[in-house]
Amino acid sequence: MADKIQKLGAKIASGHANIDEIAMFVSLLMPKAVEDVNEIFAPRQLIKRERTTEPLPIDKRQLSSYRTRLGTILEYAVSNSIDSLIRQVFGDELRLTFEVAHRYPDFLIRDRVLEPTVRIEMKAVDADSDEQSARFEVLSSLIQGEKDIVILIGWEWCQDELANGTKCEYSTIFSFVVVPAAELARERDESVRLRGGRVEADKILVPKKGRSGELKPDEGNAGKILRLVHTTRKKEPFKLSQYIQQYLQFTDAVTARKK
């Protein structure tokens, strides 16, 4: 595996890696990154007392806010671990950086002269969430097909007990998948069309409820992470790409964890 990571990273550093090689490179780094988050970062820095003593927010607005915050923290932790792994192998030849502006994508893998060679969007999905904070809304027109990937991570609360008997809990990642961004956008856009909507370069239009033939700008529902593939497409999985089949395995893992 180390040899494969080395070879793929070298191609990325030279700017000659295709999207399949980029997805494979990140996929090979993810198990160790997730392990680091679950075994080191989360039990140390995301830990809190058990819920009856230190309850979580229950108000809908606060609930959405804390899930967004925790998702952002987990994305940071995963990205930091990935960069640490990259640095160990490639030194300054490659590095994973944050996108400092508030725009797509979240992260960039840069080469030795800081040219972005890979663009990464990361989305954290809470197993107990009703999806209000987990959406993939970037327009297809903004995606660079040979550079852009999406990392989806599923997380949940883990109950534990310290050596001194203190009951506690912290967030852990139970599943992940790496998918080219263009693949997810293609399925999302096809789902919009199958539901009678239309996709344009600068917007997604969906049918108005109760108004046959009328369209309105999408309010985020088209991009819900667990619903990007239309139900009719799921019935014929052999017609779906390998990446979308892996994405559906991820969504199944998240759904199975819901309480």
Side-chain angles (χ1 to χ4, degrees):
M1 183 181 294
D3 287 345
K4 197 163 190 178
I5 290 173
Q6 180 77 51
K7 290 177 181 177
L8 291 170
K11 291 194 75 171
I12 290 171
S14 68
H16 294 125
N18 61 39
I19 193 63
D20 293 325
E21 291 168 327
I22 289 170
M24 176 61 71
F25 176 74
V26 176
S27 294
L28 291 173
L29 295 174
M30 280 297 293
K32 176 59 176 168
V34 169
E35 180 184 310
D36 288 347
V37 171
N38 286 347
E39 296 186 6
I40 302 172
F41 179 84
R44 180 71 187 177
Q45 294 181 270
L46 282 180
I47 198 165
K48 58 184 281 298
R49 290 189 293 176
E50 51 85 25
R51 208 161 300 184
T52 57
T53 305
E54 190 175 340
L56 293 170
I58 56 175
D59 175 78
K60 186 174 181 180
R61 181 173 296 180
Q62 289 181 326
L63 191 62
S64 176
S65 177
Y66 108 75
R67 283 172 171 159
T68 299
R69 177 178 172 81
L70 263 177
T72 300
I73 293 170
L74 286 169
E75 291 166 17
Y76 160 80
V78 170
S79 69
N80 194 54
S81 184
I82 290 174
D83 182 59
S84 178
L85 295 170
I86 289 174
R87 186 174 68 252
Q88 291 171 27
V89 179
F90 301 100
D92 291 336
E93 294 297 307
L94 286 176
R95 70 185 76 203
L96 189 146
T97 67
F98 293 93
E99 172 54 79
V100 295
H102 188 61
R103 62 189 177 196
Y104 169 85
D106 297 316
F107 308 100
L108 304 165
I109 294 181
R110 298 177 184 270
D111 63 17
R112 63 185 303 180
V113 296
L114 303 183
E115 178 68 21
T117 58
V118 178
R119 308 196 321 162
I120 302 173
E121 181 81 348
M122 198 181 307
K123 296 291 182 181
V125 185
D126 177 7
D128 290 334
S129 174
D130 58 3
E131 302 171 70
Q132 69 262 46
S133 61
R135 291 173 169 83
F136 179 65
E137 298 178 296
V138 61
L139 295 166
S140 296
S141 58
L142 300 178
I143 292 172
Q144 296 181 23
E146 285 302 309
K147 281 188 176 183
D148 294 12
I149 62 167
V150 179
I151 301 174
L152 302 176
I153 55 175
W155 67 273
E156 64 185 354
W157 286 101
C158 171
Q159 278 71 47
D160 204 352
E161 185 174 311
L162 300 181
N164 62 17
T166 303
K167 295 185 183 301
C168 59
E169 63 179 353
Y170 49 87
S171 303
T172 58
I173 298 169
F174 62 84
S175 185
F176 74 86
V177 69
V178 179
V179 187
E183 293 265 355
L184 283 184
R186 190 177 301 118
E187 283 296 331
R188 178 202 60 205
D189 294 353
E190 179 63 13
S191 180
V192 169
R193 286 188 282 267
L194 287 171
R195 289 185 288 112
R198 187 169 73 245
V199 178
E200 299 181 354
D202 60 346
K203 59 189 170 185
I204 294 175
L205 300 171
V206 295
K208 278 188 178 180
K209 195 170 183 178
R211 298 284 192 90
S212 179
E214 290 189 41
L215 300 177
K216 65 174 184 177
D218 175 56
E219 297 175 350
N221 290 323
K224 285 187 174 180
I225 290 296
L226 301 184
R227 304 177 190 172
L228 295 177
V229 179
H230 194 269
T231 52
T232 59
R233 299 272 291 161
K234 293 180 183 179
K235 293 176 182 177
E236 300 179 303
F238 57 90
K239 291 185 178 180
L240 302 175
S241 73
Q242 170 192 343
Y243 290 115
I244 297 303
Q245 291 180 47
Q246 292 170 352
Y247 153 78
L248 289 175
Q249 290 171 6
F250 168 83
T251 62
D252 287 345
V254 173
T255 301
R257 286 298 218 284
K258 286 185 176 294
K259 297 174 184 177

